[in-house]
Amino acid sequence: MGDYLNRIFLSKMALFFFNTAVYWAVVLTFGFGGAGTRSLFRQYTIIYIVMNLSLYSFRNYDLDRFRSLNRMALSVFAGVIVGVMASIPFLLLFFHIRIPKMQMLFVSLVLCAGFFLSHFLFYRFSRFGPQKSRRLVILGDKGRWEDFVGELTEALGKGVEFVSYVDPLQLPRLEPGGGAPPSLVITDYSLFEDDKMRDWLEGKAARGFTVEFAPQLAEDHLDRIPLEVAQAYRHYYEMAFMMAHPAPPQRVFDLVVSTLGLLAAAVISVVIVPAIMIDSGRPIFFTQERVGRDGKPFRIHKFRTMKDRGKAGAAFADDDAKLITSVGAVLRKFRLDELPQLWDVLRGKMSIVGPRPEQPEFVKEYEEKIPFYAYRHRLRPGITGWAQINFGYAGNLEEASRKLEYDLYYVKNRNTLLDIQVLLKTAETILGMRGAK
């Protein structure tokens, strides 16, 4: 175990020094020279410090994140951009001679490439992580937990050497064996409440076994909270969800973005409004009742992209796909139909990032059939969200259950950095023209 931890530490240090070398090589080549060299050096030092803090905040030095190149690229890009933006106030306040804008932009772009290259090289040639020696002993029923453990081992990839299930009621004899001792995974918190089980676990921990809990493994490696895990740790999660509430900084961010966005939308509407009228006539806007924070209904606003359904009641988007107009298809492709929702954000009914607002008929059904569903209403619904970028559209009860697992993860773990990742991924989706249904 000590050797493994040393390798992890050395790998992180190698990444840090490689990234440092890339940064200062770029700066020395393109940044210094001329008047104010000392001032520029101080400014680049501030950018370097703030950027590394940002990269650390986005978990760029967490080796588990290297299992996905797409996720790695997003994390690096977000860390560099946020780091540069966070350093700007310091530069404006404390320096008279400042780094030229184009120079700073160029350095930032090269840094994105440099940081990604270093991470890619590590991913390609040094991928050992917690993987090669990780052995999981699942304390729980195989029939109940096999699907969850299967998804977990798939996410960990080659990092799992073997998985075995044991009956926790029998307190089996387990030996560390060769290599690192296995990890004992507690699938149900009720097991930990038993005195004999707790004493047994403490004894195993003293012999080098790692004791892990299903919720932490799920959230770290699946980025969602599986419903079976939430039910097994019901009291813990219910308390965590009840403590969730909209943060004041998020509301400030919503007000700024919605105000600026509405100004931009007003310009774009000069083209969108006539196009809708020519293509399919009036009305221009589509409104519909949705369920918002604390289960309170509100009316959502969008540009109309479909012909009149001619029927009442809620419906999935797939049910009416044939009614999408020509202009509507384009608007949906680029998410432009959702621009009027910025008005709903401005008036406090929605947020930029949050769970998708659902129709009341579906909410009533889901709350009756899906456990924990009502907790997604602890926050304001969002134009985009963690579930939307990770799962997409849900067209039936089973898919709604899976999508809820991402919503619950967001409700429990919402913070500014997570919101930024959602926005960056949403931008990537829009640029890739993978629009909503």
Side-chain angles (χ1 to χ4, degrees), residues 184-198:
L184 304 177
V185 181
I186 311 299
T187 55
D188 194 318
Y189 185 75
S190 62
L191 300 175
F192 202 68
E193 293 177 327
D194 182 80
D195 291 338
K196 291 184 178 180
M197 170 61 72
R198 192 159 53 246

Side-chain angles (χ1 to χ4, degrees), residues 316-328:
F316 292 112
D318 285 338
D319 298 338
D320 297 322
K322 61 182 180 297
L323 299 177
I324 297 175
T325 64
S326 300
V327 171

Side-chain angles (χ1 to χ4, degrees), residues 13 17 72 82 93 157 214 247 251 262 308 310 348 353 366:
M13 292 301 295
F17 285 121
M72 180 198 311
V82 172
L93 287 174
R251 182 58 185 153
L262 284 170
D308 186 4
V353 180
Y366 294 161

Side-chain angles (χ1 to χ4, degrees), residues 15-261:
L15 281 174
F16 174 75
F17 285 121
F18 182 91
N19 292 336
T20 298
V22 170
Y23 177 86
W24 288 110
V26 173
V27 168
L28 290 173
T29 303
F30 302 102
F32 292 165
T37 298
R38 183 175 299 177
S39 174
L40 291 178
F41 177 80
R42 294 196 192 101
Q43 292 178 64
Y44 277 117
T45 301
I46 289 175
I47 295 174
Y48 170 78
I49 294 173
V50 175
M51 188 176 298
N52 269 285
L53 290 173
S54 176
L55 287 164
Y56 180 80
S57 298
F58 276 92
R59 297 175 63 186
N60 274 273
Y61 293 101
D62 183 347
L63 301 187
D64 284 345
R65 310 278 293 182
F66 295 119
R67 66 182 185 273
S68 167
L69 285 175
N70 181 56
R71 188 177 191 177
M72 180 198 311
L74 177 64
S75 185
V76 170
F77 180 76
V80 171
I81 296 302
V82 172
V84 171
M85 293 179 63
S87 65
I88 289 176
F90 294 98
L91 306 184
L92 295 177
L93 287 174
F94 300 111
F95 297 95
H96 176 64
I97 300 175
R98 302 188 187 99
I99 300 172
K101 295 177 181 177
M102 293 304 299
Q103 186 172 295
M104 190 169 183
L105 176 62
F106 176 74
V107 169
S108 301
L109 293 175
V110 173
L111 284 175
C112 280
F115 278 117
F116 178 75
L117 175 63
S118 67
H119 286 61
F120 175 78
L121 291 175
F122 182 89
Y123 179 90
R124 179 65 178 83
F125 298 109
S126 305
R127 185 170 171 75
F128 58 85
Q131 289 71 298
K132 292 186 178 178
S133 60
R134 192 163 195 170
R135 297 177 290 167
L136 302 179
V137 175
I138 311 301
L139 302 179
D141 179 67
K142 181 177 181 180
R144 180 181 177 188
W145 294 102
E146 188 172 23
D147 290 343
F148 164 68
V149 174
E151 293 178 21
L152 182 63
T153 54
E154 182 180 355
L156 290 170
K158 297 179 180 179
V160 177
E161 186 175 328
F162 74 81
V163 175
S164 61
Y165 294 82
V166 299
D167 184 352
L169 299 179
Q170 296 181 5
L171 300 181
R173 290 177 60 95
L174 295 175
E175 299 299 329
S183 294
L184 304 177
V185 181
I186 311 299
T187 55
D188 194 318
Y189 185 75
S190 62
L191 300 175
F192 202 68
E193 293 177 327
D194 182 80
D195 291 338
K196 291 184 178 180
M197 170 61 72
R198 192 159 53 246
D199 291 341
W200 182 80
L201 289 171
E202 289 175 356
K204 294 301 178 185
R207 298 185 61 190
F209 286 76
T210 301
V211 178
E212 300 188 80
F213 293 85
Q216 194 63 49
L217 289 171
E219 293 183 38
D220 284 350
H221 300 290
L222 301 181
D223 293 330
R224 57 186 173 85
I225 300 175
L227 292 181
E228 61 268 31
V229 173
Q231 289 176 311
Y233 287 79
R234 189 176 193 92
H235 296 310
Y236 163 70
Y237 276 116
E238 284 183 338
M239 182 171 59
F241 297 148
M242 286 297 294
M243 289 191 295
H245 61 275
Q250 185 184 32
R251 182 58 185 153
V252 173
F253 175 79
D254 288 341
L255 290 172
V256 173
V257 173
S258 60
T259 300
L260 296 176

